[in-house]
Amino acid sequence: MSRTDRPTVVLVHGAFADASSYAEVIPRLIARGFDVVAPAVPNRSLVGDAAYVAGIVRQIPGPVVLVGHSYGGAVITVAGTEDNVSALVYLAGYALEEGESLGELQGRFPDSDLADALVYTPFPAEGSDQPGTDVSVRPDRFPAIFAADVDPRLASVLAVSQRPLAALAFSEAAPAAAWKTKPSWGLVASADHTINPDVERYGYRRAGMTTVEVDSSHLVMLAHPERVVRLIEDAVRATSR
């Protein structure tokens, strides 16, 4: 497949992280000839974040493979309805049903270790006299919960440079479920302490995805980047002309 035939890979990060969570995946994709976009997701609301990513996708000429990690899986579930999205790839992610929220999907299963390690911080909400609430992870517990198999020095940096998620995003219902019309692949991080792996398995199975399991912490892109790249390549091969 020539470079011009390859789709652009758009990498959508999740909560408590930013686009640098793909730092080990991006150079591998570029070395394989892919164009890559890794936007900074606002992490303010599911509907707003999906609209932001969809706006980026619409400006890309040609097909797009949309990859979402964690909360980013919920974002691509909605943004993936864009016409030029050819495939979806979920990495330890939420595959929501239309009309379902993150809280509703998670509520079907026992809590992970994340539940009692969250920190809630008010922030000024534009256009409102009521503050919003940012959700982040206690820095001292971040490495074990989020990045147990990532270099400890890097995990300590990630712990203090989190991109919080606004609490609103947990309760918003997904207005669409792109996996109903787009071929999808899912990676379960079977040693995940951030999302109960059964949440991942359930969402993927419900969507009829091609699924793989990796013995990994939540940050599978940093812990097992080559396996992530191979899954993206699988999606490209299966959906490219």
Side-chain angles (χ1 to χ4, degrees):
M1 186 187 306
S2 71
R3 187 184 183 98
T4 56
D5 294 330
R6 295 189 177 206
T8 298
V9 179
V10 176
L11 303 169
V12 179
H13 67 79
F16 323 131
D18 59 24
S20 68
S21 58
Y22 287 103
E24 293 294 331
V25 168
I26 291 169
R28 286 170 167 82
L29 290 171
I30 292 173
R32 287 161 165 82
F34 289 101
D35 290 325
V36 180
V37 177
V41 182
N43 281 8
R44 298 295 82 190
S45 74
L46 175 58
V47 172
D49 293 340
Y52 179 82
V53 171
I56 291 171
V57 168
R58 280 196 297 274
Q59 296 178 60
I60 296 173
V64 166
V65 171
L66 202 48
V67 181
H69 172 245
S70 188
Y71 166 68
V75 174
I76 70 169
T77 295
V78 180
T81 57
E82 289 297 312
D83 290 342
N84 60 328
V85 173
S86 58
L88 306 171
V89 179
Y90 291 77
L91 306 174
Y94 294 103
L96 299 179
E97 173 62 276
E98 185 176 351
E100 183 178 56
S101 69
L102 291 173
E104 288 170 337
L105 176 55
Q106 282 199 149
R108 298 172 184 264
F109 300 91
D111 285 340
S112 71
D113 293 342
L114 177 69
D116 65 357
L118 294 174
V119 178
Y120 301 90
T121 307
F123 68 88
E126 186 177 354
S128 174
D129 57 1
Q130 298 297 314
T133 301
D134 263 342
V135 184
S136 58
V137 184
R138 280 178 47 180
D140 62 323
R141 297 191 60 190
F142 183 99
I145 291 173
F146 216 74
D149 50 359
V150 174
D151 182 288
R153 292 173 300 176
L154 176 57
S156 67
V157 172
L158 298 173
V160 299
S161 59
Q162 298 176 48
R163 191 179 188 98
L165 180 66
L168 173 65
F170 289 97
S171 59
E172 280 188 313
W179 48 259
K180 292 186 173 183
T181 57
K182 304 296 175 77
S184 304
W185 283 256
L187 184 151
V188 175
S190 61
D192 200 335
H193 290 273
T194 299
I195 299 176
N196 183 335
D198 285 338
V199 173
E200 302 164 22
R201 294 182 183 108
Y202 174 83
Y204 299 169
R205 183 169 59 249
R206 180 173 62 181
M209 292 186 198
T210 301
T211 303
V212 300
E213 299 221 3
V214 178
D215 182 16
S216 176
S217 72
H218 192 58
L219 277 177
V220 64
M221 311 91 72
L222 287 171
H224 301 277
E226 193 62 38
R227 188 64 192 87
V228 168
V229 170
R230 291 206 307 270
L231 186 64
I232 294 170
E233 288 183 311
D234 289 346
V236 169
R237 280 192 294 268
T239 56
S240 296
R241 293 191 182 96

